[in-house]
Amino acid sequence: MNPHPLPHVAVPARRLVLIIGPIASGKSTLANTVADKLRSSGEAVAVVGLDTVAEMALPTLANWSWAHEVHGQLVGAWLEKPIPTVIAEGPATPEEIEQIMRHVGSDVSVRKVLITATYETALARVIQDPTRGLSKDPEFLRRMYRRFEQTRPDIAHDVQFDTEELSSYDIAERVIDGLPKLR
């Protein structure tokens, strides 16, 4: 018997908002907007961004699949804490989504949000963003958009939004409205 038991912490119902889309479609912006809106109502939220995870190993990251795997592990770790909502953003293919989902328990409510933008809009966005690296290369970005369009029919999602048609604020409101209520 442990003479110093850990205090019992009630874990609230948990939900994962998984934001999926191609490079520069607005995943980070949407994740932060959803988080800000939930936090303003007093809810604890963790945001786990793929780029933030990858930055931990850049510029020496040898394989992006490693970043995807660590991203999934980190999402899973946050889901084990008594934080009601975790927002994960970054995946763009079914395989990348699976790298997250294998760390998500069956007791977690998952809302998969697919967002899109055209290649031309994405290129304009990355050119304006001083923090972007390789994604500023038009040919790289075009290859990533082709890959996304090829796998897009296989991406299971609950809702889909075009970030050229709606603002991140409007999309965030719709995402939050669709979330299950917490216990």
Side-chain angles (χ1 to χ4, degrees), residues 72-91:
Q73 292 168 349
L74 188 55
V75 168
W78 276 116
L79 286 168
E80 292 175 1
K81 303 302 174 208
I83 292 179
T85 303
V86 175
I87 302 169
E89 61 87 3

Side-chain angles (χ1 to χ4, degrees), residues 15-19 31 34-35 38 45-49 85-89:
R15 45 192 196 187
L16 170 65
V17 177
L18 183 56
I19 302 175
V34 171
L38 290 171
V45 177
V47 177
V48 187
T85 303
V86 175
I87 302 169
E89 61 87 3

